[in-house]
């Protein structure tokens, strides 16, 4: 896990998923030690943070119940009390902030599972985690994962628990690789146990020792090499343009009283609030809010920039024209290079002139824009 690109790359970006994974690691340790009260508290905290944590821990309930001592009912009540502390705290905080009773986990469940709202963010094949997600996370070690069923009793249980998690998530229409983060504390130990068992059997069976040992050593070295290479590439070279461009904009507006910045890029493609800082900034950017929440973004004459079904469906001419009715033209615009000519043309039709004042390399991969550009007011 420490050399995995997946842990490194996602750890600095997906804070809630990474926190869920870390709490799962702590909970696994506490469960193994039999400290069930602290385990229950961690699980309550994890559930309050991300209700999907329940999916991983449901199969563990028989093991949890089996670890309760003779006075099972009394110990169970104690565990429930510890689990209730973060849940009640979260309920009180959410209700206080919204001025009404807010059961956040139920709303989460209702939106993602009952109404299928997650599908608005994209729909993938039910087998996506098998042919894309798991191979991306585990690399060449993925071939060892199925053998977890035959390795040992403990490994078999962990493999069943991990399978349950992946199967349930496979029924959710929208899939992302980050959703595998919470189950990695099971996936990596399973693969490690299988490798360890195979090495021991290889030592005991001289006939296959040479071939098996060579393959295992190669697989481990390949895994480490690929992950270190991927970590360096993804951390320092892949999609670096948006970070440099937003840092540049933040520096440009630092001496301005009321700067106006428009981010004309797809949703979630730019680290806006972590890199653009100003107490009086007027910031406009595209939202990927589900239909049920879009009315919340309508504010008087302000025209909300909504990206409904991918950025390819966005009408930049219409959005710019309507936005300028209730908002002043920006001082700076950040956009991917392929959209810049259309943006300059759309503002030109409204009587505003813009030019490219900075260009930053973004990505080597064709699926992403090769460059990010900053447009400055030239009128």
């Amino acid at each position: 896990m420490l050399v995995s690109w997946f842990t490194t790359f996602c750890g600095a970006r997906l804070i809630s998923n990474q926190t869920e994974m870390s709490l799962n690691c702590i909970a696994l340790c506490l469960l193994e030690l039999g400290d069930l009260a602290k385990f229950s508290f961690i699980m309550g905290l994890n559930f309050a943070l991300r209700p999907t944590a329940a999916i991983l821990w449901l199969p563990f309930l028989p093991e949890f119940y089996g670890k309760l001592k003779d006075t099972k009912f009394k110990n169970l009540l104690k565990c429930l009390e510890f689990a209730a502390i973060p849940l009640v705290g979260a309920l009180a905080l959410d209700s206080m902030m919204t001025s009404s009773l807010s059961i956040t986990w139920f709303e989460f469940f209702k939106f993602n599972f009952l109404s299928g709202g997650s599908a608005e963010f994209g729909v993938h094949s039910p087998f996506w985690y098998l042919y894309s997600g798991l191979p991306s996370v585990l690399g060449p070690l993925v071939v060892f994962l199925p053998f977890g069923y035959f390795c040992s009793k403990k490994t078999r249980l962990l493999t069943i628990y991990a399978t349950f998690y992946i199967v349930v998530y496979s029924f959710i229409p929208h899939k992302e690789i980050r959703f595998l983060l919470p189950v990695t504390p099971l996936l990596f130990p399973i693969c490690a146990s299988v490798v360890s068992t195979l090495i021991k059997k290889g030592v005991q069976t001289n006939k296959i020792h040479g071939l098996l040992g060579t393959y295992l050593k190669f697989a481990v070295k390949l895994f480490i090499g690929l992950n270190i290479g991927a970590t360096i590439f993804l951390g320092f070279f892949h999609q670096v343009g948006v970070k440099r461009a937003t840092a540049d904009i933040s520096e440009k507006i630092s001496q301005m009283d009321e700067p106006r910045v428009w981010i004309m890029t797809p949703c979630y493609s730019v680290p806006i609030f972590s890199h653009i800082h100003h107490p009086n900034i007027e910031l406009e950017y595209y939202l990927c809010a589900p239909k049920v929440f879009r009315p919340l973004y309508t504010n008087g004459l302000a025209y909300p920039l909504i990206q409904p079904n991918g950025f390819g469906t966005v009408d930049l001419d219409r959005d710019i024209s309507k936005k300028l009715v209730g908002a002043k033209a920006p001082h700076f615009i950040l956009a991917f290079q392929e959209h810049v000519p259309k943006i300059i043309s759309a503002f030109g039709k409204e009587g505003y002139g813009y030019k490219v004042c900075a260009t930053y390399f973004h990505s080597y991969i064709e699926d992403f824009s090769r460059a990010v550009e900053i447009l400055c007011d030239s009128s």
Side-chain angles (χ1 to χ4, degrees), residues 30-44:
L30 293 172
L31 182 63
E32 191 68 22
L33 293 174
D35 196 340
L36 301 184
K38 291 180 182 178
F39 166 81
S40 301
F41 177 83
I42 294 296
M43 281 299 89

Side-chain angles (χ1 to χ4, degrees), residues 198 202 205-219:
L198 288 175
T205 311
N206 292 326
K207 292 182 180 179
I208 62 171
H209 174 241
L211 180 62
L212 185 63
T214 301
Y215 172 76
L216 290 173
K217 290 178 182 178
F218 174 75

Side-chain angles (χ1 to χ4, degrees), residues 311-322:
F311 203 69
T313 63
V314 167
D315 188 336
L316 288 170
D317 283 307
R318 181 200 62 184
D319 285 348
I320 290 171
S321 175
K322 288 190 174 183

